[in-house]
């Protein structure tokens, strides 16, 4: 997404890790009105406090590097990355152990954890290249590494996998008879792959906007018009946040409505207080998963909503240029990154089965449970109960 800010400056190079990552060409004189979602030329007015005025440079043939300067927000980013790596790795390990009886929800939750794990890995602050060689390798560095493209792709895959989980849960609850035929392992795999492809498509603009300036040997942004900037910015806001959030919330609301109607039906046949009844246990298990899913969606909105909305308003020219690199903007960025480590914490707090699975993981006892974790093989129970009621 391209943003407007008047800049005429020489400033040392560095990076600003966020959903909108920025970098500064080193030693190059720029005079233009441009800021990108993943690239920006920052003003030299004190906001760029994370870059040392005298960089710690290590040189290789054609390369020079800026050491990481550990500001408060980079320390929080590193802490978030470590939590995300540990937490999501545990989720993946537990689901892998129980893979024999895994259900579509477990597979999608595992895909969500994998996307968040990769995002956490790519979130780790690294030294930035001040100068790069004018070669194919230099072009790859500017377009892929310097732009942190895989970080944004991981975020996109995580967002759309969460949306897919909400849709899958609605199908499971609303169409229990057709669920096994509609949501097969092959189709779930296709959806997961499609989410990553979609993530690459949404962030493909980086290949056009991230450039290697052959005259200065710096990674620099391309310059686009204000109209293109606003168009790309609007599309990114819709695709990155608004559309997935609306679909997830809508599916969640529809699922809760259908589940409520089903619970009313089963109450009529006297199963309300019989917790030993398989159907009652099935409904309660589904409610726990839905409650946990709602919290996951809500945390996603809380984490990403403020930064996305503020940046969208900034893109429309309704916020001053001083918003970039301000303490508020950096705080919102840290909040956004927190979503990558939040889900394992939610599972631990809200889902007893996950706590038990983690305990078994570190236990030496034999005969560990290998049942599905986030869903149960109880569609047949639901179908039989519905048939008995109609009979």
């Amino acid at each position: 997404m391209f943003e407007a800010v008047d800049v005429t400056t020489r400033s040392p190079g560095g990076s600003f890790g966020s959903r909108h990552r920025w970098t500064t060409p080193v030693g190059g004189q720029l005079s233009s009105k441009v800021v990108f979602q993943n690239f920006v030329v920052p003003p030299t007015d004190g906001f760029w406090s994370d870059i040392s005025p005298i960089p710690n440079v290590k040189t290789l043939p054609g390369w020079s590097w800026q050491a990481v300067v550990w500001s408060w927000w980079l320390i929080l980013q590193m802490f978030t990355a470590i939590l995300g790596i540990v937490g999501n790795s545990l989720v993946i390990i537990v689901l892998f152990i129980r893979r024999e009886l895994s259900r579509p929800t477990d597979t999608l939750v595992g895909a969500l954890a994998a996307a968040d794990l990769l995002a956490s890995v790519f979130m780790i602050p690294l030294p930035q290249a001040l100068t790069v060689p004018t070669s194919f390798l230099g072009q790859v560095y500017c377009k892929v590494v310097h732009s942190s493209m895989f970080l944004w792709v991981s975020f996109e895959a995580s967002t759309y996998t969460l949306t897919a989980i909400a849709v899958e849960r609605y199908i499971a609850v609303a169409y229990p008879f057709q669920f096994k035929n509609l949501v097969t392992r092959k189709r779930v795999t296709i959806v997961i792959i499609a989410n990553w492809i979609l993530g690459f498509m949404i962030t493909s603009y980086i290949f056009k906007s991230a450039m290697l300036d052959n005259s200065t040997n710096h990674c620099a942004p391309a310059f686009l018009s204000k109209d293109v900037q606003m168009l790309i910015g609007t599309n990114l806001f819709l695709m990155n946040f608004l559309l997935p959030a609306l679909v997830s919330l809508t599916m969640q609301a529809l699922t809760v409505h259908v589940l409520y109607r089903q619970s009313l039906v089963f109450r009529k046949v006297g199963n309300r207080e019989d917790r030993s009844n398989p159907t009652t246990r099935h409904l309660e298990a589904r409610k726990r998963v839905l409650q946990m899913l709602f919290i996951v969606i809500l945390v996603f909105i809380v984490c990403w909503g403020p930064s996305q909305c503020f940046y969208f308003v900034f893109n429309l020219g309704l916020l001053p240029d001083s918003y970039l690199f301000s303490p508020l903007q950096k705080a919102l960025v840290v909040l956004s990154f927190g979503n990558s480590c939040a889900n394992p914490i939610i599972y631990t707090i809200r889902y007893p089965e996950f706590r038990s699975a983690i305990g078994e993981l570190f236990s030496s006892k034999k005969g560990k449970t290998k049942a599905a974790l986030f869903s149960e093989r109880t569609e047949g129970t639901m179908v039989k109960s519905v048939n008995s009621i109609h009979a």
Side-chain angles (χ1 to χ4, degrees):
M1 182 166 20
F2 308 89
E3 308 302 335
V5 58
D6 290 311
V7 177
T8 302
T9 181
R10 285 179 180 271
S11 60
S15 66
F16 187 76
S18 71
R19 185 65 177 251
H20 321 287
R21 187 178 181 91
W22 299 278
T23 58
T24 307
V26 182
Q29 187 75 21
L30 296 177
S31 178
S32 181
K33 187 179 180 67
V34 60
V35 175
F36 298 85
Q37 179 187 358
N38 290 69
F39 302 90
V40 68
V41 181
T44 54
D45 56 1
F47 287 118
W48 198 248
S49 58
D50 301 312
I51 300 302
S52 172
I54 304 177
N56 180 13
V57 176
K58 294 183 179 180
T59 59
L60 294 172
W63 300 83
S64 62
W65 300 87
Q66 165 70 59
V68 176
V69 180
W70 292 100
S71 58
W72 65 267
W73 73 270
L74 277 182
I75 294 174
L76 288 177
Q77 180 176 323
M78 186 65 181
F79 179 73
T80 301
I82 294 174
L83 282 181
I85 292 172
V86 174
N88 289 294
S89 296
L90 288 175
V91 174
I92 294 172
I93 292 172
V94 168
L95 291 174
F96 180 78
I97 292 175
R98 297 169 179 241
R99 66 189 182 280
E100 295 177 2
L101 297 176
S102 64
R103 305 291 284 163
T105 305
D106 298 282
T107 303
L108 289 171
V109 170
L112 177 63
D116 287 337
L117 172 61
L118 290 176
S120 299
V121 171
F122 294 129
M123 196 188 304
I124 297 175
L126 298 174
Q128 294 291 309
L130 299 179
T131 59
V132 297
T134 55
S135 62
F136 175 76
L137 184 60
Q139 291 280 0
V140 172
Y141 175 84
C142 289
K143 293 181 178 295
V144 178
V145 180
H146 201 244
S147 66
S148 295
M149 180 175 183
F150 288 116
L151 176 64
W152 322 132
V153 173
S154 299
F155 281 138
E156 301 295 345
S158 173
T159 298
Y160 282 96
T161 302
L162 177 60
T163 306
I165 294 175
V167 174
E168 184 268 344
R169 282 294 83 198
Y170 171 72
I171 297 175
V173 173
Y175 304 99
F177 294 95
Q178 300 89 356
F179 178 76
K180 289 184 178 180
N181 295 326
L182 292 174
V183 186
T184 62
R185 186 181 298 273
K186 181 179 179 180
R187 289 178 178 175
V188 169
T189 303
I190 291 175
V191 168
I192 293 172
I193 296 174
N195 288 336
W196 282 94
I197 294 175
L198 182 59
F200 275 103
M201 292 176 61
I202 293 175
T203 57
S204 62
Y205 71 96
I206 292 178
F207 284 106
K208 182 66 175 179
S209 62
M211 305 289 292
L212 170 58
D213 188 342
N214 294 330
S215 62
T216 60
N217 290 67
H218 308 317
C219 295
F223 297 89
L224 299 181
S225 67
K226 179 66 177 179
D227 292 338
V228 175
Q229 160 197 332
M230 295 184 65
L231 177 62
I232 293 178
T234 301
N235 288 338
L236 287 173
F237 174 74
L238 293 175
M239 298 298 293
N240 289 346
F241 175 72
L242 188 59
L243 181 61
L246 288 177
V247 172
S248 297
L249 288 176
T250 301
M251 291 295 101
Q252 183 75 5
L254 292 174
T255 304
V256 170
H257 176 69
V258 173
L259 193 62
Y260 174 73
R261 291 176 55 187
Q262 290 178 356
S263 64
L264 291 180
V265 172
F266 290 115
R267 286 178 184 177
K268 293 180 180 179
V269 295
N271 291 332
R272 179 177 181 181
E273 301 297 334
D274 186 7
R275 295 185 178 274
S276 63
N277 185 280
T279 301
T280 303
R281 294 200 308 270
H282 174 70
L283 289 174
E284 290 179 350
R286 282 187 168 179
K287 287 179 181 179
R288 287 198 304 271
V289 173
L290 289 175
Q291 290 171 355
M292 183 186 65
L293 176 59
F294 174 74
I295 295 175
V296 170
I297 295 172
L298 185 62
V299 169
F300 163 77
I301 294 174
V302 170
C303 287
W304 280 111
S307 63
Q308 289 289 313
C309 292
F310 268 79
Y311 211 79
F312 177 64
V313 173
F314 176 83
N315 194 37
L316 297 179
L318 302 179
L319 285 179
D321 297 339
S322 59
Y323 169 72
L324 288 179
F325 313 109
S326 66
L328 173 61
Q329 194 265 345
K330 292 179 180 180
L332 294 181
V333 164
V334 173
L335 177 63
S336 299
F337 278 170
N339 187 68
S340 295
C341 68
N343 291 343
I345 298 175
I346 295 172
Y347 303 154
T348 302
I349 296 175
R350 295 291 305 179
Y351 203 58
E353 286 84 350
F354 181 73
R355 292 198 298 270
S356 300
I358 295 297
E360 292 178 356
L361 188 63
F362 295 97
S363 173
S364 60
K365 295 180 179 180
K366 302 291 184 179
K368 295 182 179 180
T369 304
K370 292 188 178 181
L373 183 59
F374 293 99
S375 56
E376 300 178 358
R377 290 182 175 273
T378 51
E379 281 83 0
T381 301
M382 175 67 75
V383 171
K384 291 179 181 178
S385 299
V386 171
N387 289 335
S388 63
I389 290 173
H390 288 293

